């Protein structure tokens, strides 16, 4: 943890220099910083693209090698197992700035369980090839997506863990752009802000035509024009 501030800042600097075949993500917990750097380009360039990220670890440890996509996708299955308890609140950053790094480090130090985390993943590449106004998904020009996510097991910890998640997210949200990704948000009634006013209006017209009675409402709900809020 003593090296986390330097490592996250250096990680952002390195990531900006990489081509689109590269992506990086990191997880910050009370126990430390875990970085996953992925290269899907020419394997002969893998060491050149990835090894500088290993140097960020200082006294840490890690490994580099080929990995099947399924293995990459399933590495956190045990951590996010069914029957555990979760809360998530996130947003988009244009870049990783020093003040949000400071805020993350301050908040993670007071996390109520060892599995509470900040998770940040790099965006860009093919996501940014599509114009933001062409689909419902917003935030295509963002550099990173972040989530403050407490994870716990005892129902008695519900209140304090959710409170930490909301407060920790609030401390890093000031730098977020005016859009969001609805699938990762535990709090509801965020759709209008996540999509933006113009897209949300278009989605309401679709909802009015396809689901005028708002049958499908147990979600980040898009309210049809005929319906009234519950």
């Amino acid at each position: 943890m003593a090296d986390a501030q330097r490592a996250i800042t250096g990680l952002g600097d390195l990531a900006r220099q990489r081509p689109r075949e590269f992506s990086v993500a990191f997880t910050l917990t009370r126990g430390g910083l875990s970085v996953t750097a992925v290269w899907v380009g020419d394997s002969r360039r893998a060491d050149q693209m990835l090894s500088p990220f290993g140097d960020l670890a200082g006294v840490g440890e890690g490994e580099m090698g080929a990995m099947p996509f399924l293995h990459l996708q399933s590495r956190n299955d045990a951590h996010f197992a069914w029957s555990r308890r979760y809360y998530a609140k996130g947003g988009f950053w244009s870049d990783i700035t020093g003040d949000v790094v400071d805020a993350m480090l301050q908040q993670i130090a007071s996390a109520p369980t060892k599995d509470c985390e900040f998770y940040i993943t790099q965006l860009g590449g093919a996501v940014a090839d599509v114009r933001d106004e062409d689909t419902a998904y917003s935030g295509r020009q963002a550099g990173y997506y972040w989530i403050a996510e407490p994870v716990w097991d005892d129902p008695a910890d519900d209140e304090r863990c959710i409170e930490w998640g909301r407060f920790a997210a609030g401390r890093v949200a000031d730098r977020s752009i005016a859009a969001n990704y609805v699938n990762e948000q535990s709090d509801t009634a965020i759709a209008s802000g996540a999509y933006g006013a113009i897209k949300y209006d278009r989605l309401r017209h679709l909802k009015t035509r396809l689901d005028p009675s708002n049958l499908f409402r147990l979600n980040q709900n898009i309210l049809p024009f005929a319906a009234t809020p519950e």
Side-chain angles (χ1 to χ4, degrees):
M1 284 300 290
D3 295 327
Q5 184 174 36
R6 174 190 56 79
I8 295 172
T9 301
L11 178 152
D13 293 340
L14 285 171
R16 280 191 291 272
Q17 304 167 20
R18 294 299 186 268
R20 63 189 295 152
E21 292 88 354
F22 171 88
S23 186
V24 68
F26 65 89
T27 301
L28 180 68
T29 68
R30 285 190 333 212
L33 176 70
S34 173
V35 177
T36 300
V38 178
W39 173 251
V40 297
D42 187 337
S43 60
R44 293 171 295 183
R45 298 185 65 196
D47 184 74
Q48 173 192 354
M49 291 292 110
L50 299 177
S51 59
F53 289 83
D55 293 337
L56 297 172
V59 297
E61 60 184 36
E63 61 184 18
M64 182 170 66
M67 180 181 295
F69 180 73
L70 182 60
H71 179 64
L72 177 67
Q73 287 292 91
S74 60
R75 289 186 311 159
N76 291 325
D77 285 0
H79 178 67
F80 292 109
W82 289 103
S83 81
R84 301 201 75 189
R85 306 175 81 81
Y86 312 96
Y87 173 88
K89 191 176 183 69
F92 294 117
W93 291 326
S94 296
D95 204 350
I96 301 174
T97 60
D99 53 346
V100 298
V101 175
D102 291 342
M104 284 193 296
L105 291 171
Q106 291 170 5
Q107 294 308 309
I108 205 65
S110 63
T113 73
K114 64 180 180 62
D115 289 335
C116 294
E117 66 181 36
F118 283 101
Y119 172 74
I120 290 83
T121 186
Q122 186 184 16
L123 301 176
V127 175
D129 288 346
V130 180
R131 296 186 307 168
D132 200 85
E133 61 266 28
D134 285 345
T135 72
Y137 175 83
S138 296
R140 289 186 177 277
Q141 302 308 310
Y144 293 88
Y145 180 68
W146 63 268
I147 311 174
E149 188 163 28
V151 181
W152 69 102
D153 297 292
D154 188 345
D157 290 330
D158 285 1
E159 184 175 351
R160 70 188 187 114
C161 286
I162 293 172
E163 180 181 5
W164 178 85
R166 287 176 174 156
F167 185 81
R171 296 291 293 169
V172 301
D174 287 347
R175 293 288 181 175
S176 292
I177 67 174
N180 215 326
Y181 177 53
V182 294
N183 286 6
E184 298 281 4
Q185 314 303 316
S186 295
D187 294 334
T188 56
I190 68 152
S192 60
Y195 295 116
I198 295 175
K199 289 186 181 183
Y200 186 67
D201 186 70
R202 289 163 56 190
L203 289 166
R204 290 193 71 186
H205 278 90
L206 284 172
K207 187 67 177 285
T208 302
R209 176 163 62 88
L210 300 171
D211 182 21
S213 64
N214 203 24
L215 175 66
F216 298 103
R217 61 186 181 274
L218 301 181
N219 49 31
Q220 296 291 0
N221 193 237
I222 296 164
L223 193 68
F225 285 107
T228 56
E230 294 183 352

